[in-house]
Amino acid sequence: MRIDPDLCVACGNCLAVCPVGAIRIDPALRRAVIDREQCVECFTCYRGMSREHMNPRLVRGIRRGLALLRLRFDPEPDVCPTSAIVPEELAWPRTLRRAFSDVQATHASTGILGRGTEEVKTNDVTDRLKEGELGFVVELGRPSVGVWFRDIERVTRALAAVGVAFEAENPITHLMVDRATGELQPDVMGERVLSGIVEFRIPPEKAMDMLALLRRIADDLDTVMSIGLAARCDGMGANEAEAIMAAAGLPVLRAKTNLGLGRRDAPGPAVGAEAR
């Protein structure tokens, strides 16, 4: 994404729209500029504002004239008056920024929108998570924070060391050059995204050590870490996930329960419910 300096009138409306604070007014240029290193190509600035087509020279002239009288001429706060925000043709590896940050972008590795992972939300149909297994998702980043792939790799390497099984259909797994070590492709290390989700399975007996490891890593990461846990329920709706999270001193919230009403894509015995 870029801002056309020939069109920009430095109204500043786009600054508040950017979720990662990558837009600023350059006092020397008297134009809004985008910090390409910080920009995650989420397209929020482009889609989040109405775009008008006022003559930029006219707008600048009016603003300068009124400034002499200590008056202001500003467009509505949700408007780019001159359509100065312009999408760019992205090349690899910068295309990852949009794939992981733009909710309307289709992820090439999975063919679905956004960050491109269904996590374990449809497990009652897909049967990706077996009985006796725990499915974890570790989300890194959030709007206004973001995350670098070099920090995501710190987490994937640490998880690989404790023997997790990374989900093959997860987009971050697709970026690994070695799932046994959690190493990501070297050319993505300098890319920043709104958030990324690492998905994996682990035997229940290893869960406590893994959670303790994530606690230690989280203190050194300049981003936000969120943990999700899924497990199959028994016929009474109980599962061992809640006890594990409580033992680790983590708050437990039943965010989702699938009742197993969908048609199964994978063979296997029917299950009563799944909790997440």
Side-chain angles (χ1 to χ4, degrees):
M1 194 65 65
R2 72 181 184 91
I3 295 177
D4 189 333
D6 293 331
L7 296 177
C8 179
V9 295
C11 67
N13 282 354
C14 53
L15 274 66
V17 175
C18 178
V20 293
I23 306 177
R24 63 182 179 87
I25 299 293
D26 188 316
L29 297 175
R30 296 185 180 181
R31 301 287 190 274
V33 294
I34 295 178
D35 184 333
R36 285 184 55 79
E37 184 177 14
Q38 296 297 318
C39 174
V40 295
E41 302 291 354
C42 64
F43 274 56
T44 301
C45 59
Y46 183 72
R47 287 196 302 265
M49 306 179 69
S50 298
R51 296 187 297 279
E52 297 181 353
H53 298 276
M54 300 176 67
N55 186 301
R57 292 185 179 180
L58 176 62
V59 175
R60 293 188 201 112
I62 293 174
R63 286 166 63 87
R64 284 195 296 267
L66 290 177
L68 296 175
L69 302 174
R70 302 181 69 84
L71 298 173
R72 293 177 61 88
F73 167 67
D74 290 323
E76 293 296 317
D78 60 344
V79 170
C80 177
T82 55
S83 295
I85 302 173
V86 183
E88 294 181 293
E89 188 70 27
L90 303 179
W92 178 267
R94 195 170 181 88
T95 50
L96 283 178
R97 297 192 181 219
R98 187 177 184 192
F100 279 85
S101 305
D102 183 356
V103 295
Q104 294 189 20
T106 300
H107 202 291
S109 67
T110 61
I112 63 176
L113 299 178
R115 291 164 299 181
T117 176
E118 291 186 318
E119 304 157 29
V120 286
K121 293 177 181 175
T122 56
N123 193 68
D124 57 328
V125 175
T126 61
D127 200 35
R128 287 159 65 181
L129 185 64
K130 309 297 183 184
E131 293 188 46
E133 293 181 325
L134 296 179
F136 279 87
V137 291
V138 176
E139 182 174 9
L140 299 161
R142 272 290 191 265
S144 79
V145 180
V147 64
W148 296 93
F149 271 101
R150 55 178 175 262
D151 285 332
I152 293 177
E153 188 193 51
R154 291 178 61 188
V155 174
T156 57
R157 281 182 174 274
L159 290 171
V162 296
V164 307
F166 293 107
E167 170 53 49
E169 298 303 319
N170 182 278
I172 289 178
T173 306
H174 279 278
L175 295 174
M176 293 182 183
V177 295
D178 186 353
R179 295 184 192 178
T181 64
E183 180 186 357
L184 301 183
Q185 297 174 205
D187 54 353
V188 308
M189 292 295 101
E191 299 304 318
R192 185 176 187 240
V193 297
L194 275 186
S195 67
I197 293 178
V198 182
E199 181 187 356
F200 55 92
R201 297 184 300 280
I202 190 171
E205 61 272 16
K206 293 186 176 181
M208 292 296 292
D209 290 340
M210 185 273 299
L211 289 171
L213 174 64
L214 290 179
R215 249 187 212 281
R216 293 194 298 271
I217 296 175
D219 293 336
D220 296 327
L221 295 177
D222 187 22
T223 189
V224 175
M225 177 187 289
S226 305
I227 300 175
L229 170 59
R232 287 191 177 278
C233 296
D234 60 23
M236 301 300 293
N239 65 79
E240 55 190 325
E242 294 184 13
I244 291 173
M245 296 293 276
L250 297 172
V252 177
L253 173 66
R254 276 205 177 207
K256 182 178 178 70
T257 300
N258 291 338
L259 298 179
L261 302 180
R263 186 178 57 144
R264 296 172 64 87
D265 291 339
V271 284
E274 174 200 359
R276 181 176 184 272

